[in-house]
Amino acid sequence: MTTAGTGHAEADRDEKGGIRTALAGLTTRGRSFLAAGVAAAVCSYVLGQSDLLRVGLLLAVLPLVCATILYRTRYRVAGSRRLSPARVPAGSEARVHLRMDNVSRLPTGLLMLQDRVPYVLGPRPRFVLDRVEAGGRREVSYRVRSDLRGRYPLGPLQLRLTDPFGMCELTRSFSTSDNLTVIPRVEPLAPVRLSGEARGYGDGRQRSLALAGEDDVIPRGYRHGDDLRRVHWRSTARYGELMVRREEQPQRARCTVLLDTRGIAFQGAGPDAAFEWAVAGAASVLVHMLERGFSVRLLTDTGSAVPGEGGDGFAGASQGSADAAGLMMDTLAVIDHSDGEGLSRAYDVLRGGNEGLLVAFLGDLDEEQAAVVARMRQRGGGAVAFVLDSETWMREPSDVPGPLDGSGERLRMLREAGWTTLGVPRGASLDDLWRQADRERRGVAAAGGGEGP
């Protein structure tokens, strides 16, 4: 029996030790028949009953004949698996479609199809295919669901072939498998305009001037329709062709999302843990800012930025937003706690340039790490921090005075450094906190006569 794996890849088939393989495939019924036949043969010898010997031989030979015929049966079966969708948010269902094609000229017997599935996705699916005619096809499907993000292998497929009497059962495994990616839940966010963000919209969008001065012109060749008033005569004389000054180039606003992954900063595990809330919050902000046209970057406490676009690590300007979101969702699907104890590596990355809007999801902060986070605000256009204090997070929601209450001295240090800082209680909605951050920013701007919306 020859099988094919996903994408019609050939599966492994053991040709060695045929008799041993066939005997190993005997079912409980087959082994019982064989044992009863041997016992009957022994009793016939002891009692001198020749009729009992014939019965014993029949009982012993039947499972052996079934095993031999089943093992030597050659079927060519191709299989494929299709995930719909291949990337699913945590808590949502995906459907797995299996297709079996009989590519031989002989019909198959009874086939039992089984797919290997991690226990977190649900029970292992099993299907019985009665008979597949020559050139025929059978399609089955099953659902999988996980509340935990991650990347889970599906497969390889296994086919069990049995004889009509149920004496023998042989298993053939396909050679390939697929992966189901369970990404964090993404919560829709309100289109607020946080501090430092207003410059990225409409008429207020930042622009980089190509002309910084008469000696710093970056000209380009003349194109039909260009305004002759932008002709740069000095460059025209130098290059021997008509040259014009470049237009002002719009510069996409930037947003950096900082995710604290330190193991010492979070307590608890499972889908309701504080770290999972932080990961889901980072995913929601990244998708939201990409949809609004920002160039975004995901930064962790280890200083690694994903995905990278050019040398600055930002994504979204030259690649599709959907592709950039997919890359970051795949990263967040498998991100785990780091062994680091501080945020200094992230600070080293952030102090290197203009990061635009900075949104941070932080765990427990001691005084030293709070000071590091406070210094991150110095070069950013705007900064919002969601702090998941373990003591506050482990309380029941009813025990928390308010869903937007601060968490003490560490939050005060960040606010004094210019951060819009919010403590995150257990069960809080990110969209509510997102709106609250905008209201607090507006209140500070109104009190100080600063930048309005």
Side-chain angles (χ1 to χ4, degrees), residues 8 76-80 99-104 132 135-138:
H8 299 83
R76 296 185 63 239
V77 181
S80 62
R99 193 181 80 178
M100 305 302 300
D101 295 278
N102 182 11
V103 296
S104 67
V132 182
R137 174 187 301 173
R138 296 291 185 272

Side-chain angles (χ1 to χ4, degrees), residues 371-384:
V372 173
V373 176
R375 292 197 299 271
M376 294 179 184
R377 172 65 180 83
Q378 295 178 0
R379 289 181 178 270
V384 181

